[in-house]
Amino acid sequence: ILELTRRAGDYAMAGVVARGMVTGTTISEPRFVFFGVGPGPVTATRAAAAVDGKTLTPGVFAAATAALDHDLDPPADPHGGPDMKRQLARTLLRRAIAKLTA
C-alpha cells in the first residue's frame, strides 16, 4: 500500500494497493487498485495489462502511465482537481512497480 498525504496522519489524497508475481524485472499478473481518485476503489486494468509479462523498461513504464489515464476519471474534491489526482496516481503507479521489483 502506497499513499500520498499532505501531512502524516491526514487522509490520503491518492493511494494504491499493488500486487504481482515478480521474476527479475518482469511482473506477471499485476493488479493495481487505486483509492482517493474516484467514488470508490478503481482497478487499473489497462495499466496492469501494459506491464503484464513484460521486462520493465522506460518504455513499459511510459505505456503503463499512459494507460492509467484511461483507467481513471477522478472527480474534483477538497484535495485537488482531476489533473492533480491523475498526476498523483501516475507517481504512485511508478513507485508501486518499482517497489514490487525491488
Side-chain angles (χ1 to χ4, degrees):
I1 298 176
L2 299 172
E3 61 184 17
L4 294 170
T5 62
R6 291 193 192 278
R7 294 178 303 263
D10 280 358
Y11 285 105
M13 295 184 295
V16 65
V17 178
R19 72 148 182 90
M21 296 171 45
V22 179
T23 305
T25 59
T26 302
I27 300 175
S28 56
E29 301 178 30
R31 184 168 169 120
F32 307 108
V33 180
F34 287 84
F35 55 92
V37 294
V42 179
T43 302
T45 55
R46 292 179 181 167
V51 299
D52 190 15
K54 296 181 177 72
T55 299
L56 298 176
T57 63
V60 171
F61 272 94
T65 55
L68 184 62
D69 286 345
H70 297 288
D71 287 324
L72 303 180
D73 185 21
D77 66 17
H79 295 296
D83 290 338
M84 186 195 80
K85 294 277 190 170
R86 277 190 199 90
Q87 183 58 41
L88 294 176
R90 287 184 207 114
T91 298
L92 286 167
L93 178 63
R94 286 189 298 270
R95 290 179 183 177
I97 292 170
K99 189 171 183 175
L100 283 173
T101 58

